[in-house]
Amino acid sequence: MYDISIADADRLVVVRLGGLMSVEEVDRYMAELGRTMAAHRLTADYRLIVDVIDCPIQTQAVIDRMREHMAAAPRAAAIAVVTASSLARMQIRRLFQQPYARVVSTLAEARAWVLKGEEPLAA
C-alpha cells in the first residue's frame, strides 16, 4: 500500500508506505512516483518525506529493488524517513545513505528537516 501527495509551493513530496511490499508493488509505486513528480515538474532539488510508520521490515528483495530505483531517481534537496521502529531504522539507514537524508520519529521532525534544515533529535 502506498499514497503519494505533492505540496507544490514547498516542492515537497510526501509518500506513505504501509504493509509488506512485493517487488512488483515497489515497481508500481516507483513508476507512479516518477509520473507524479514529472507532472509536477519536480526533476531535482525537491524535498521528500517517506512515512514508513505502518511498514514492517521488508524483504531483502524489496530493499534491493528500492535501491535500484533510487539510484536512477532525481536528486532530492532533503529526505526524511519517518519510523518509530528501531529495527526499521537499521534497514532504512542502509538504504538511505545520502548526506541529506535523516531518519526521524515524527512527521513534525520530518517537515522541520526537509523544509527548514532543522536537525532531528538523536534517536
Side-chain angles (χ1 to χ4, degrees):
M1 187 279 310
Y2 59 89
D3 179 63
I4 301 166
S5 62
I6 306 285
D8 287 311
D10 293 322
R11 299 184 54 79
L12 176 63
V13 179
V14 179
V15 174
R16 191 171 50 104
L17 302 175
L20 193 60
M21 298 180 79
S22 67
V23 170
E24 295 78 18
E25 188 170 19
V26 170
D27 290 342
R28 286 190 302 274
Y29 151 62
M30 293 302 289
E32 183 174 338
L33 179 60
R35 286 189 302 272
T36 302
M37 290 176 61
H40 289 266
R41 295 186 170 89
L42 298 173
T43 57
D45 294 325
Y46 58 95
R47 292 152 176 85
L48 175 63
I49 295 174
V50 182
D51 179 348
V52 296
I53 287 176
D54 294 328
C55 265
I57 298 297
Q58 301 295 311
T59 67
Q60 190 59 48
V62 164
I63 296 303
D64 291 344
R65 184 59 60 98
M66 285 253 191
R67 186 175 286 116
E68 290 170 18
H69 283 291
M70 287 171 50
R75 186 186 186 281
I79 299 171
V81 184
V82 184
T83 186
S85 163
S86 59
L87 287 175
R89 280 179 182 272
M90 289 188 293
Q91 190 173 60
I92 291 163
R93 286 190 176 115
R94 286 193 305 271
L95 187 58
F96 290 90
Q97 296 183 354
Q98 303 91 329
Y100 49 89
R102 300 293 184 273
V103 181
V104 299
S105 299
T106 68
L107 284 170
E109 283 183 307
R111 292 183 72 76
W113 167 247
V114 301
L115 297 176
K116 300 175 190 171
E118 294 176 7
E119 286 289 341
L121 301 173

